[in-house]
Amino acid sequence: MSDERSFLNQTPRLVLIAGATSASGIACAQALCDAGVRVLAVGSNQERLDERLDFVEARIECDLTDFAAVNKMAQAIHASYGPIDGLIHLVGGWRGGKSIVGQSDDDWDFLHRTVLTTLRNTTRAFVDDLVGSAAGRLAIVSAEAVLNPTPSNANYGAIKAAAEHWVNAIARLFSKNAENASALSWVVKALSDKSPEDTAPGQTSVQWLAEAAVELLSDGAIALNGTRLPLRQA
């Protein structure tokens, strides 16, 4: 690893990945472990965690939509591993619809719960860790849809916009209280679990997302606090 990507006075660092059993979570976890990072993988199903992420430091089942459960998890992590330095939030999903009248309440509730509620809960539980770290990091995966709204994608785009706002609020907190910290939103059109060579045009391979996860821990990420960072597309 080059000097420009050296971790700030804290190697290996402790990073929690929320939504770790997805293809993007597995790719990010592997890349971070390969870079010498201690990874805590969090998901909703212990069996999937154990099957897919046997190489990380710890695998933790938690209902991230339940703030009490997230707080309990945070207390257990602090007792066993100490405060975290990074939070990569990959929990979510996609729901579309037919024009505005097709934006169903069920889809809205699903997106609000899986994308926004899990982000609020995890950041509220761990933000003090990130502020107190030598180089706290927070990242989410957002979407081009935020700045390119369409009637059929209104539910999804609105939730992603809210998630970005939440991240930017934390970025403002970092700018005032943690000068070496960074919170940002990675922007994609769509993620692909295929290799970079087989990724469809316009999509972002999870391998490119994993590279971004490693870069997130570099000194250069400080300047990206509060920004939207488009990721590479095929």
Side-chain angles (χ1 to χ4, degrees), residues 134-152:
R137 296 291 188 268
L138 167 66
I140 66 169
V141 175
S142 191
E144 291 183 357
V146 170
L147 297 183
N148 184 29
T150 61
S152 62

Side-chain angles (χ1 to χ4, degrees), residues 108-128:
W108 174 263
D109 291 343
F110 168 80
L111 292 167
H112 190 281
R113 184 175 64 256
T114 60
V115 177
L116 192 58
T117 297
T118 60
L119 175 63
R120 290 182 66 251
N121 287 348
T122 51
T123 51
R124 286 186 293 161
F126 289 104
V127 69
D128 288 345

Side-chain angles (χ1 to χ4, degrees), residues 45-212:
N45 183 284
Q46 191 67 50
E47 184 176 352
R48 286 198 298 267
L49 285 163
D50 292 341
E51 287 178 352
R52 302 175 186 180
L53 292 142
D54 61 351
F55 53 88
V56 302
E57 180 151 336
R59 297 168 296 281
I60 305 164
E61 178 180 340
C62 184
D63 178 3
L64 298 180
T65 68
D66 181 343
F67 187 50
V70 175
N71 266 332
K72 184 177 180 180
M73 175 186 69
Q75 292 169 8
I77 286 173
H78 291 153
S80 297
Y81 306 100
I84 68 170
D85 301 296
L87 170 59
I88 297 177
H89 182 274
L90 302 176
V91 188
W94 178 84
R95 294 283 178 89
K98 294 183 179 180
S99 195
I100 293 298
V101 296
Q103 303 299 298
S104 74
D105 289 342
D106 286 345
D107 287 348
W108 174 263
D109 291 343
F110 168 80
L111 292 167
H112 190 281
R113 184 175 64 256
T114 60
V115 177
L116 192 58
T117 297
T118 60
L119 175 63
R120 290 182 66 251
N121 287 348
T122 51
T123 51
R124 286 186 293 161
F126 289 104
V127 69
D128 288 345
D129 288 10
L130 304 183
V131 170
S133 171
R137 296 291 188 268
L138 167 66
I140 66 169
V141 175
S142 191
E144 291 183 357
V146 170
L147 297 183
N148 184 29
T150 61
S152 62
N153 223 18
N155 274 344
Y156 179 74
I159 290 293
K160 285 293 191 180
E164 284 194 25
H165 186 99
W166 187 267
V167 169
N168 288 341
I170 294 173
R172 178 67 65 89
L173 175 68
F174 285 171
S175 70
K176 295 178 179 296
N177 298 304
E179 63 181 12
N180 288 328
S182 185
L184 57 86
S185 300
W186 292 314
V187 180
V188 302
K189 181 177 181 180
L191 285 172
S192 170
D193 59 4
K194 298 184 181 299
S195 68
E197 296 78 16
D198 295 328
T199 296
Q203 296 186 355
T204 297
S205 169
V206 294
Q207 294 303 317
W208 294 329
L209 175 65
E211 292 172 5

